[in-house]
Amino acid sequence: MLIDTYGRVATDLRVSLTDRCNLRCTYCMPEEGLQWLAKPDLLTDDEIVRLIGIAVASLGIEEVRFTGGEPLLRPGLVGIVERVTALEPRPVTSLTTNGIGLKRTAAALKEAGLDRVNVSLDTLRPDVFKTLTRRDRHGDVLDGLRAAQDAGLTPVKVNTVLMPGLNADEAPDLLAWSMEHGYELRFIEQMPLDAQHGWKREGMVTAGDILTALRTRFDLTPEDAEERGSAPAERWLVNGGPYRVGVIASVTRPFCAACDRTRLTADGQVRTCLFATEETDLRGALRSGAPDEEIARLWRQAMWGKKAGAGLDDPSFVQPDRPMSAIGG
């Protein structure tokens, strides 16, 4: 079991498969990209599967989410999914992706055992997409969403970050579009995880702003708190249901007290939080021949030291020196 000093138990593992990405979203990385991890620094497919196997068999992990960077850029992705879904007990598996390349891989991922996907899409307007991501790939994301739904990777969730002056006016349109296509929409407050450290709390589009905009066109009823559990998204029934919309308010309404996550970076480091400034090296233990029991002990020790919260409301908050692409969302 992965328990911390506040009594929280981690059952949800986020695994970053690569730090690379084929978009250059303004809230994540600079236009020129980043200094990518060297191949020898990345966990191999076998190392990833072994660590997930330890987490599932010995540490109580029940859900595994594959992230990046962009996980579809990982050459061995389908094989990794197939091996992870063959573990006993079988974890629930999902993937967070920008959707580019999903059209050609959705069916294979479903056949390998993947349960569902989250696709990032911040705008319905191709020109705004190009401004936000610095790439002209809007149509590819829409194709990827359709392919995921056709393959049965459902519920297909759409993750949206609203930025002032760019797409902040699109909240009601995005919700109407998601409902029309059967996608589950979740808005995410912009977080301080950009490589260029340009994030500023003042002026950001908050959960309150998003809900105010949505209520200009929709009737929203809060979901029962018990149904939310440890999920990061607060959800509302839209026009009485059954459709729901979620808002992940990491900055203005933090949910740290119910956090059930542990994170593994692409180079084999345990992170207890997206905003953690310390890591525990499992790659070194793996490559030095440590047995599974020792790796599990290191992981438990790392999680025992997890802090009470991310500290975004603390004036002394220090942004992590790793960008979101290297940590995994």
Side-chain angles (χ1 to χ4, degrees):
M1 180 183 294
L2 291 172
I3 189 169
D4 64 32
T5 55
Y6 299 92
R8 296 169 297 192
V9 178
T11 58
D12 184 338
L13 170 61
R14 305 298 170 101
V15 181
S16 175
L17 298 179
T18 178
D19 59 330
R20 296 174 184 265
C21 189
N22 41 13
L23 296 180
R24 295 292 180 269
C25 296
T26 56
Y27 51 78
C28 184
M29 68 173 76
E31 185 170 6
E32 64 274 14
L34 300 167
Q35 177 94 32
W36 308 122
L37 292 167
K39 188 172 182 180
D41 293 334
L42 292 169
L43 292 174
T44 66
D45 293 1
D46 287 344
E47 288 171 337
I48 289 170
V49 174
R50 183 183 170 196
L51 287 174
I52 295 174
I54 292 169
V56 168
S58 303
L59 299 173
I61 290 299
E62 299 171 356
E63 298 183 38
V64 176
R65 170 83 62 86
F66 298 105
T67 69
E70 174 44 53
L72 293 182
L73 295 180
R74 178 88 187 199
L77 172 61
V78 172
I80 291 171
V81 171
E82 188 171 32
R83 293 167 68 185
V84 168
T85 55
L87 294 171
E88 292 292 344
R90 183 196 186 283
V92 175
T93 58
S94 59
L95 177 87
T96 294
T97 172
N98 61 30
I100 296 173
L102 193 53
K103 180 180 178 180
R104 69 173 183 273
T105 56
L109 288 168
K110 179 64 178 180
E111 186 175 349
L114 190 72
D115 293 306
R116 62 172 190 80
V117 295
N118 287 25
V119 180
S120 299
L121 179 66
D122 299 325
T123 178
L124 298 175
R125 304 190 296 243
D127 59 324
V128 176
F129 182 91
K130 187 174 181 180
T131 299
L132 277 168
T133 67
R134 305 182 179 107
R135 297 291 186 270
D136 191 11
R137 307 296 297 273
H138 190 257
D140 294 321
V141 180
L142 298 183
D143 288 344
L145 280 161
R146 284 189 290 267
Q149 193 168 62
D150 290 344
L153 293 170
T154 54
V156 175
K157 296 185 178 180
V158 174
N159 293 342
T160 296
V161 176
L162 297 179
M163 304 281 288
L166 286 171
N167 62 340
D169 61 327
E170 289 194 66
D173 290 340
L174 281 158
L175 179 51
W177 174 83
S178 296
M179 293 172 65
E180 178 185 350
H181 290 84
Y183 305 139
E184 185 174 322
L185 179 62
R186 304 191 310 173
F187 293 98
I188 304 174
E189 286 183 338
Q190 184 196 3
M191 294 179 283
L193 290 167
D194 57 311
Q196 56 272 43
H197 290 198
W199 178 86
K200 288 182 173 58
R201 181 172 181 135
E202 50 279 6
M204 64 173 282
V205 181
T206 67
D209 297 330
I210 294 165
L211 293 170
T212 296
L214 293 178
R215 286 186 171 117
T216 63
R217 283 171 56 183
F218 303 96
D219 178 52
L220 302 182
T221 306
E223 184 181 64
D224 191 297
E226 290 186 8
E227 289 191 47
R228 179 184 181 187
S230 60
E234 292 181 80
R235 297 198 304 179
W236 284 260
L237 286 172
V238 182
N239 296 337
Y243 192 88
R244 290 170 170 81
V245 63
V247 179
I248 299 178
S250 304
V251 177
T252 62
R253 303 181 189 179
F255 40 86
C256 301
C259 182
D260 65 349
R261 298 180 184 180
T262 182
R263 299 175 182 275
L264 185 65
T265 68
D267 55 350
Q269 311 300 306
V270 169
R271 292 182 69 92
T272 60
C273 174
L274 267 176
F275 303 101
T277 55
E278 298 176 350
E279 299 176 334
T280 298
D281 180 24
L282 297 187
R283 184 190 64 197
L286 275 177
R287 295 181 180 177
S288 66
D292 289 0
E293 295 78 9
E294 172 62 13
I295 292 168
R297 186 192 67 79
L298 290 171
W299 208 327
R300 289 191 192 98
Q301 182 177 315
M303 294 304 294
W304 183 251
K306 184 172 181 173
K307 294 181 179 179
L312 296 182
D313 55 350
D314 187 334
S316 63
F317 170 75
V318 177
Q319 181 172 332
D321 55 6
R322 284 211 202 204
M324 183 162 53
S325 63
I327 299 170

